[in-house]
Amino acid sequence: MPAPTVAALLDAATARLGDALGLDRREARLEAKTLAAHVWRVAPAWLIVHDRDPVEADQATRFDTLLARRLAGEPVAYLTGVREFYGRSFHVTPAVLIPRPETELLVDLALTRLPPEAPHAVLDLGTGSGCVAVSLALERPNARVTAVERAADALAVARENAARLGASVEWLAGDWFEPLDGRRFDIIVGNPPYVAANDPHLARGDVRFEPPDALASGTDGLDDLRRLIACAPHHLQPGGSLLLEHGYDQAEAVRACLAAQAFTGIASWTDLAGIARVSGGKLSK
Ligand code: GLN
């Protein structure tokens, strides 16, 4: 049998990914190309230029092995070990939540509160891959960015991302504010777990492979958000801002928690999908 061409292999993989994972053709094709480019160590453009080339047997086998893992549900980002966030490539492993596009809103909002020249102190809680902390440190070199993470294996990924991307961040191991006794910040950001523990969403798709501790937070998903909002006033400068990502239906509850702690200027902001995704306020002066 003649060796299949690059195009034939990608076509077959696209069809199987579409069927198995319910992806539309565009998404399935993108995934097939991402996996092929990764496993063959080529740029995506190479696949187009060489689409009529035959694929050698061992290359086809390596591709099939990776494809089988994707067909069994493993997220593409864990298979390739990378995910883009805020215009940069972050290393990810199953120890960290895969960076989401909606979390870029958290970075945008923090940046509007960080004047480029000011040496503001910024805190990122539950940093995971470090994508938020590293993005803020690189966008605002004058800011002093601190990031906290409980999971040692996640913290190692974050440190590695910062070193590779050249970001200067203070990394602390611990549970939320625990390692920050008495310290205050100008801005606190966080993307804590916020999914309800019994949400059926946790049993479907990519999230099944992500760290449960980074996703679920009590019966209504608000346990950690409530705790962070209650503790934040002890760690903010007067007038300092708190910005928290939350679930699609939690904006009102989060704003009520902020109001109960005497935050002012409380608001919610919508992500690209039009969902209220981040809420925050300022600590009264
Ligand atoms: N946005 C994620 C999801 O719905 C949850 C992330 C989180 O809990 N911080 O899968």
Side-chain angles (χ1 to χ4, degrees):
M1 212 173 67
T5 61
V6 168
L9 212 76
L10 290 177
D11 283 346
T14 300
R16 291 181 68 193
L17 286 163
D19 289 346
L21 304 175
L23 305 176
D24 68 33
R25 224 195 116 65
R26 216 192 100 264
E27 287 171 318
R29 180 132 201 107
L30 186 63
E31 289 202 355
K33 288 170 80 173
T34 302
L35 295 177
H38 173 73
V39 84
W40 297 335
R41 297 207 172 101
V42 296
W46 184 96
L47 299 170
I48 300 167
V49 178
H50 294 268
D51 72 338
R52 281 154 198 261
D53 288 10
V55 180
E56 287 170 24
D58 70 313
Q59 298 285 67
T61 305
R62 283 171 50 216
F63 177 71
D64 283 343
T65 305
L66 203 65
L67 180 64
R69 289 175 62 186
R70 178 59 186 139
L71 291 168
E74 278 186 68
V76 173
Y78 290 155
L79 295 175
T80 62
V82 288
R83 179 52 44 102
E84 293 290 311
F85 182 82
Y86 220 82
R88 298 180 183 92
S89 222
F90 283 83
H91 178 50
V92 294
T93 74
V96 302
L97 191 81
I98 299 167
R100 312 280 206 268
E102 56 268 31
T103 304
E104 294 183 344
L105 172 65
L106 191 61
V107 174
D108 279 333
L109 291 166
L111 289 177
T112 64
R113 288 158 181 73
L114 279 169
E117 307 310 327
H120 278 348
V122 184
L123 171 64
D124 175 28
L125 290 166
T127 196
S129 65
C131 63
V132 171
V134 168
S135 299
L136 292 174
L138 291 174
E139 296 295 324
R140 292 289 186 272
N142 288 330
R144 291 168 290 133
V145 182
T146 300
V148 175
E149 171 59 52
R150 179 176 46 190
D153 47 1
L155 201 55
V157 173
R159 280 180 191 278
E160 187 261 326
N161 276 318
R164 191 171 26 79
L165 293 166
S168 165
V169 175
E170 176 193 24
W171 304 104
L172 299 175
D175 199 12
W176 301 133
F177 292 105
E178 178 195 52
L180 296 164
D181 200 25
R183 287 180 61 182
R184 291 185 184 264
F185 297 83
D186 298 293
I187 300 189
I188 299 176
V189 299
N191 174 19
Y194 54 67
V195 182
N198 66 352
D199 189 326
H201 163 81
L202 293 173
R204 288 197 289 264
D206 287 6
V207 293
R208 289 172 298 161
F209 294 83
E210 294 187 290
D213 278 0
L215 289 163
S217 186
T219 49
D220 61 359
L222 288 162
D223 280 7
D224 286 290
L225 283 161
R226 273 191 289 261
R227 193 164 147 212
L228 295 186
I229 294 167
C231 296
H234 305 292
H235 295 280
L236 276 171
Q237 298 290 358
S241 292
L242 175 63
L243 293 164
L244 294 168
E245 180 174 325
H246 52 68
Y248 72 97
D249 57 355
Q250 294 172 334
E252 216 183 303
V254 170
R255 289 197 307 266
C257 290
L258 290 165
Q261 295 296 328
F263 276 88
T264 60
I266 297 167
S268 298
W269 295 269
T270 53
D271 62 19
L272 291 173
I275 294 165
R277 181 59 69 186
V278 174
S279 294
K282 280 181 179 229
L283 190 66
S284 314
K285 289 202 182 171

